[in-house]
Amino acid sequence: MAALASPGADARPRAIASPPGTGGEASPVPDRVLMKGNEAIAEAAIAAGCDAYFGYPITPQAELLEWMARRMPEEGRAFVQAESELAAINMALGASAAGARVLVSSSSPGISLMAEAMSYMAGSRLPVVLVNVMRGGPGLGSIGASQGDYLQAVKGHGHGDYRVPVLAPSSIAEAIDLVGDAFVLAERYRTPVILLADGILAQAMEPVKPDFRAVERTHPGWVLDGADGREPRVIKSLALRPEDLERHNLTLQATYAEITAREQRWAGESLDGADVVLVAYGTAARIARTAVERARGAGLQAGLFRPITLWPFPAEALRDAARGACAVLAVEMSAGQLVEDVRLAIEGAVPVFHHGRMGGMVPTPDEVVDAMRRAWSTSEGCAS
Amino acid sequence: MAALASPGADARPRAIASPPGTGGEASPVPDRVLMKGNEAIAEAAIAAGCDAYFGYPITPQAELLEWMARRMPEEGRAFVQAESELAAINMALGASAAGARVLVSSSSPGISLMAEAMSYMAGSRLPVVLVNVMRGGPGLGSIGASQGDYLQAVKGHGHGDYRVPVLAPSSIAEAIDLVGDAFVLAERYRTPVILLADGILAQAMEPVKPDFRAVERTHPGWVLDGADGREPRVIKSLALRPEDLERHNLTLQATYAEITAREQRWAGESLDGADVVLVAYGTAARIARTAVERARGAGLQAGLFRPITLWPFPAEALRDAARGACAVLAVEMSAGQLVEDVRLAIEGAVPVFHHGRMGGMVPTPDEVVDAMRRAWSTSEGCAS
Amino acid sequence: MAALASPGADARPRAIASPPGTGGEASPVPDRVLMKGNEAIAEAAIAAGCDAYFGYPITPQAELLEWMARRMPEEGRAFVQAESELAAINMALGASAAGARVLVSSSSPGISLMAEAMSYMAGSRLPVVLVNVMRGGPGLGSIGASQGDYLQAVKGHGHGDYRVPVLAPSSIAEAIDLVGDAFVLAERYRTPVILLADGILAQAMEPVKPDFRAVERTHPGWVLDGADGREPRVIKSLALRPEDLERHNLTLQATYAEITAREQRWAGESLDGADVVLVAYGTAARIARTAVERARGAGLQAGLFRPITLWPFPAEALRDAARGACAVLAVEMSAGQLVEDVRLAIEGAVPVFHHGRMGGMVPTPDEVVDAMRRAWSTSEGCAS
Amino acid sequence: MAALASPGADARPRAIASPPGTGGEASPVPDRVLMKGNEAIAEAAIAAGCDAYFGYPITPQAELLEWMARRMPEEGRAFVQAESELAAINMALGASAAGARVLVSSSSPGISLMAEAMSYMAGSRLPVVLVNVMRGGPGLGSIGASQGDYLQAVKGHGHGDYRVPVLAPSSIAEAIDLVGDAFVLAERYRTPVILLADGILAQAMEPVKPDFRAVERTHPGWVLDGADGREPRVIKSLALRPEDLERHNLTLQATYAEITAREQRWAGESLDGADVVLVAYGTAARIARTAVERARGAGLQAGLFRPITLWPFPAEALRDAARGACAVLAVEMSAGQLVEDVRLAIEGAVPVFHHGRMGGMVPTPDEVVDAMRRAWSTSEGCAS
């Protein structure tokens, strides 16, 4: 993948020496390259066939925009650093309506500025992939990694009755996969999709296999690509008569039901016979994994349930996973957001606990082990 | 209240003939005046001591802005129709920091545009009252009345770990009361507050007693009112070190816990011995009330639980109210938003059902009665 | 004038000890106060009856905005620091259309941002007074004093066939007078008016008599003040049919001809028998005055023609003043802008020379004397 | 030129049947194609090597933007319809600083919005070509053709001491030539350049030879193209110390002097022995040409002087051309703008008259002949 070499020195994937005996010595193509999360997400979008990128600089997603600034023109595709986050997301709306495969990225405050347009795109049924590299909030906050925008991504953000698929990678390799999936979901269901990352995932470097996936391109029947020889089309979120708008909403809701039925994703680890089930996503899930290992080493039967789609939330799967447990513990880099969906899933069947850090602080595995212990000793079902 | 007479003919409260024998004939002050919800909210804010209003026109909250455009200058206070909703809410941020009592109003799309600044104000601990006269969404949607921004108001909207009190009036008289309460809460807890109304409440006319309440003014120690003779103060939401930002977040969370402990409000009707408990707020609660009456007339023991604070949600009170019931039915002008908080409150103790209309459509009482019947016959606890 | 005492310590006019024997000791009202030009212009506008001020901070006009920020609310009038210069000038357009007496101020780059709205206001015949405290350009330039926006003010700026009266004070006392005149001209002729100052005039302090002048208020028949009981009015600059737009332009041109015939102002010093006539305005005119004195002291018969209205330019008066001279020398803090109007006025009758400094540099009197000498020795008419 | 065929039916150049005997029958490449002025300007810019176009729609330049919207992506170049005219021109500033060959276009009100950035680009010495398709003003005005922005283009517009070359084509073929010249001048002198067109030139169709010219690309030493292996560069218009800013201005003025010395362009017709010399540019020059013919047919010795560079204005050439005449008549689609430069050039040597129409109205040849007659009979030098 020659293009990978083109961005400047500090944005370049770094080849890693192949392990001996794998034949890597003879090959000019590295098995794996070292990439930052931001860079890998960007390059994955390009490989997926992203036609246009719109953004505005903000830490900690800056390298994503910078990567696109160099790479997209190399590929003959569109890169625009717009006047503001509002301009960027509205350009995305327009480009998507015209049939382009569009990526937008920002970080928490910039994402908030996109709330209105996200609702418009959901209402207009426009596929766009939006990356949120979450940082500490609220307000200007810090540039530390955070998960404080969970509820914004899965519940609120824009106005009106809409939802968007939210994908949460917990490694750079998974982020690469999910970028491709995000475009697939966006186009399959004609909906914006959020890829919810955080400052650690985006800025850390991991060795990844540079086998970024192309996403098949269909020619949808709805795009505004010129009305020569056919009836003009209209894309809008406006329906002045409430009856019409409700009918439109029922279509949206049917799509959401279909997504909920078909697209839930999660991963479980050590769940068999687990007394305490941790629930965590993204960077927090990596810490939770270590905590599970340590707890098991110390005799506490712990397991990890990791939702990959935050919406649709894998509620049934979590309920199943928690069936034999005596306590569920949500671990998040936020004050208590994921835990709401955990409670909605568990519906009182098992006591649900929460451990969170805020403002750019990250839980340590030992902290999480302690929180598991507290949950275990507090929950009546465990103590017995 | 002389000032009431000053706005133009079509914005003027309309005196209602007092009932005979009440002495109303002799009095030059009307017992009650006919006011639109938008007008009553505006006038209540003026009486409450609102120093500054910032806004941008959008239906169905237009009369609120128009009323303020006329009345605020009459009172020697500040009215600014800003360049956009973003400009308006950021002016509010500045005015609040300088010690002004501030009202902002808009409708759904305009509210979405304010997401970033709301997070900044929450992070900066700035009291501002924001009125959202919800309309049909998502996107441009319709100008019909809706409750589709429930989750935005109580969960997401801006980024980061913050919540704001959300007050939901179900009559114009209650709206007048809650405007005063909103300013009290905003200043007591140094937080933005949302008054969540809808197009029906805002545009309907009801007779109201023009006894708008003044809100006592304290001189807070934090405002930026000139540093002559004292140490300069700083108001910001920025804390570059995550440790500092987490400490700040813990202060915010402690405030939210205090609000949750002390400020929950709700109203119950016919809840004693109710088999089916309806949960509804705002305009939907008025329909639910009629449905309860009709259901009781038809032999179905129904009751109504009406949350007035949507955040903090009166979860415990609802749990108590539903204790003897066999079914709970959330009724809303949205696709299933309030019902999430109902489920979180009930935690599986009683089956929870949902009836919602969307896009500006309003449920009829008969529809709601049917939904109750379906809930009753579906729920195992009821059939027994 | 009690209100003068209210702004903060650093913005307060400073009383000057009256000369002995003038009775000043007994009087609580100072004869003269020390004011910065920015402050004096602001206070003069308030005294003139300015109802609304809109602006955005920029050096070197910042104190003007700051003064208004404090004083306008004290007077119960409108002060808005808008989101940008564009927002400010468009708010001015709206307020003027609604009948308010409006002041806007900025400095060179901010004035450029107002070009479109100035053309709209000229086309809509809306009276607004705009203060330009010129700084060094082009672009971001410097914050030094300059006269580099002369041609912009009198010729170009916005698009289309319009002109606006441009008043150029050369002392703070004159600035105070011209602020009143600016409002009078604006309303008499329904036109924007520019007060063209520079960073030295605006930031220097001079003792001034605080006898700011009130400007009589007429009730014009064109303002949009509510159509109750009369035909609605429309204010616009749009005329889709070129015939209509030309007719509108002829009305504008007739107004400009009337202004040109009636409102030219200038001042002459030592012009009788002058061999070399200096032409200069604003701060440059003060330097030119000193240069004239020095030149006369050295035997060179010099005089000063100081245009006060830059548009309409006092061309005939200048032609008369230069009739007996052998050279005319334009002195300006710009590269050669005023000199164009001087040449247009002189039409080749006398050789015209130019001396200018740029980018915030100010000519010295000795430089100007040298320039005069060069003009004298170059011009054939002089040498004879 | 295959690319010409790609835009949609209504934007496509129309092949014209070659005259018999020219061999056109056998050739698939048409000798001439029918193009609108807007289209021809756009295609000429593409041929000239324009890398990036930024704009925002406004009549009567809309087809130019539309053409670029289709063609630039086909060529793998950048087309951005920005959020506003301000956003467009500031993107142009950035792209030019990064070494791109940039075109921006708009019409009168949109051009006014670009005043600040034009001054910044002049101060930063950035080459950008800006097309102004003038419409009737001031304000919103009409969409009729006009020359009302002459003074803005050549004198004012942005703040500070700067000038930009202004090229005025009077036919579509000449517009094609001048687009190439504009890029050459912009890069040779590191300056913005204005191509001043009008609604008639832009919207009329004329047969043109599709031999658009490529402009050689030099690699200038000043662009911000990455500082790897060299010292970083800075491009700015800021110079805080007035001494530095003056020095910068002297560099600019030296450039302007060089442009004035080397780049004046004009065309003369029937000037030998002309008694009345018409001066006109653009569309007005075409009318003037017809008027000259009719006048000569009626015995009045008339000639036409047509400036092609409006700045630098060919003053000396005009003075020479008018030497033997008894009257000079400026003909313009404006109230009296060009005539100022004519007067500056003639300096009283010959009486100067003016005939102008406004607001989208266009003079007729007969009107112009009448104006010539009036000039002839008024001027003392003619009557003799």
Side-chain angles (χ1 to χ4, degrees), chain B residues 73-264:
Chain B
E74 283 178 7
E75 299 283 332
R77 308 186 197 170
F79 168 91
V80 181
Q81 179 175 321
E83 202 181 48
S84 69
E85 284 88 353
L86 264 95
I89 195 71
N90 281 294
M91 285 175 174
L93 187 156
S96 174
R101 194 166 273 173
V102 180
L103 187 79
V104 174
S105 66
S106 188
S107 180
S108 307
I111 297 292
S112 288
L113 285 167
M114 298 177 182
E116 186 219 24
M118 281 293 279
S119 176
Y120 275 67
M121 291 194 294
S124 306
R125 306 193 59 209
L126 289 172
V128 162
V129 174
L130 173 62
V131 178
N132 180 2
V133 178
M134 292 182 283
R135 57 188 255 179
L140 196 47
S142 78
I143 58 169
S146 169
Q147 295 182 327
D149 309 345
Y150 178 93
L151 286 174
Q152 183 190 57
V154 303
K155 312 267 184 198
H157 206 195
H159 57 285
D161 282 301
Y162 77 91
R163 304 274 178 155
V164 301
V166 179
L167 307 180
S170 78
S171 71
I172 296 179
E174 191 176 38
I176 292 170
D177 272 355
L178 291 181
V179 166
D181 292 349
F183 282 110
V184 169
L185 289 174
E187 293 176 18
R188 181 181 297 159
Y189 298 103
R190 291 190 58 188
T191 178
V193 171
I194 290 177
L195 188 85
L196 200 63
D198 64 67
I200 291 177
L201 185 84
Q203 304 238 323
M205 276 192 177
E206 290 182 11
V208 294
K209 292 187 86 167
D211 55 351
F212 302 111
R213 172 163 54 121
V215 171
E216 199 187 347
R217 194 176 293 269
T218 58
H219 194 74
W222 52 266
V223 299
L224 306 186
D225 53 359
D228 275 6
R230 63 160 171 82
E231 285 297 294
R233 296 167 183 154
V234 174
I235 292 180
K236 60 173 182 173
S237 62
L238 174 75
L240 278 180
R241 295 179 61 247
E243 293 80 0
D244 297 338
L245 188 57
E246 184 170 62
R247 204 169 306 122
H248 177 57
N249 266 282
L250 290 170
T251 306
L252 293 178
Q253 293 295 323
T255 302
Y256 303 153
E258 190 185 348
I259 297 173
T260 302
R262 295 177 48 176
E263 306 292 354
Q264 293 177 29

Side-chain angles (χ1 to χ4, degrees), chain D residues 294-337:
Chain D
R294 292 194 191 168
R296 288 204 163 244
L300 181 59
Q301 298 309 304
L304 169 64
F305 183 89
R306 178 166 73 83
I308 295 170
T309 51
L310 303 183
W311 188 90
F313 191 80
E316 214 168 329
L318 174 56
R319 213 150 39 227
D320 288 349
R323 208 174 299 276
C326 62
V328 170
L329 173 65
V331 177
E332 43 184 319
M333 285 140 64
S334 42
Q337 302 197 14

Side-chain angles (χ1 to χ4, degrees), chain A residues 112 119 137 139-141 149 152 155 157 159-161 163 237-239 245-246 249 253 335 337 340 347 357-358, chain B residues 112 119 137 139-141 149 152 155 157 159-161 163 237-239 245-246 249 335 337 340 347 357-359:
Chain A
S112 287
S119 176
L140 197 45
D149 309 347
Q152 184 189 57
K155 313 268 183 196
H157 207 195
H159 56 286
D161 283 301
R163 304 273 179 157
S237 61
L238 174 75
L245 188 57
E246 184 170 61
N249 266 283
Q253 294 296 323
Q337 302 197 13
E340 287 209 8
E347 279 206 311
R357 297 300 299 265
M358 284 168 284
Chain B
S112 288
S119 176
L140 196 47
D149 309 345
Q152 183 190 57
K155 312 267 184 198
H157 206 195
H159 57 285
D161 282 301
R163 304 274 178 155
S237 62
L238 174 75
L245 188 57
E246 184 170 62
N249 266 282
Q337 302 198 12
E340 286 208 9
E347 280 206 308
R357 298 298 300 267
M358 284 169 284

Side-chain angles (χ1 to χ4, degrees), chain A residues 105-273:
Chain A
S105 67
S106 188
S107 180
S108 307
I111 298 292
S112 287
L113 285 167
M114 298 176 181
E116 185 218 25
M118 281 294 279
S119 176
Y120 275 67
M121 291 194 293
S124 306
R125 305 193 59 208
L126 289 173
V128 163
V129 175
L130 173 63
V131 178
N132 180 2
V133 179
M134 292 182 282
R135 58 187 253 180
L140 197 45
S142 77
I143 58 170
S146 169
Q147 296 181 328
D149 309 347
Y150 178 94
L151 286 174
Q152 184 189 57
V154 304
K155 313 268 183 196
H157 207 195
H159 56 286
D161 283 301
Y162 78 92
R163 304 273 179 157
V164 302
V166 179
L167 306 180
S170 77
S171 71
I172 297 180
E174 190 176 40
I176 292 170
D177 273 355
L178 292 181
V179 166
D181 292 349
F183 282 109
V184 170
L185 290 175
E187 293 176 17
R188 182 181 296 158
Y189 297 104
R190 291 189 60 186
T191 177
V193 171
I194 290 177
L195 188 84
L196 200 65
D198 62 69
I200 290 176
L201 185 84
Q203 305 237 325
M205 277 193 174
E206 290 181 12
V208 294
K209 295 187 84 167
D211 56 350
F212 303 111
R213 171 165 53 122
V215 171
E216 198 186 348
R217 195 177 291 270
T218 58
H219 195 76
W222 53 265
V223 299
L224 307 186
D225 54 359
D228 275 5
R230 63 160 171 81
E231 285 297 295
R233 297 167 184 154
V234 174
I235 292 181
K236 59 172 184 174
S237 61
L238 174 75
L240 276 180
R241 292 180 62 246
E243 292 80 0
D244 297 337
L245 188 57
E246 184 170 61
R247 205 170 304 120
H248 177 57
N249 266 283
L250 289 171
T251 306
L252 293 178
Q253 294 296 323
T255 303
Y256 302 153
E258 191 185 347
I259 297 172
T260 301
R262 297 178 46 178
E263 306 292 355
Q264 294 177 28
R265 301 192 199 178
W266 68 95
E269 299 181 22
S270 315
L271 286 170
D272 284 347

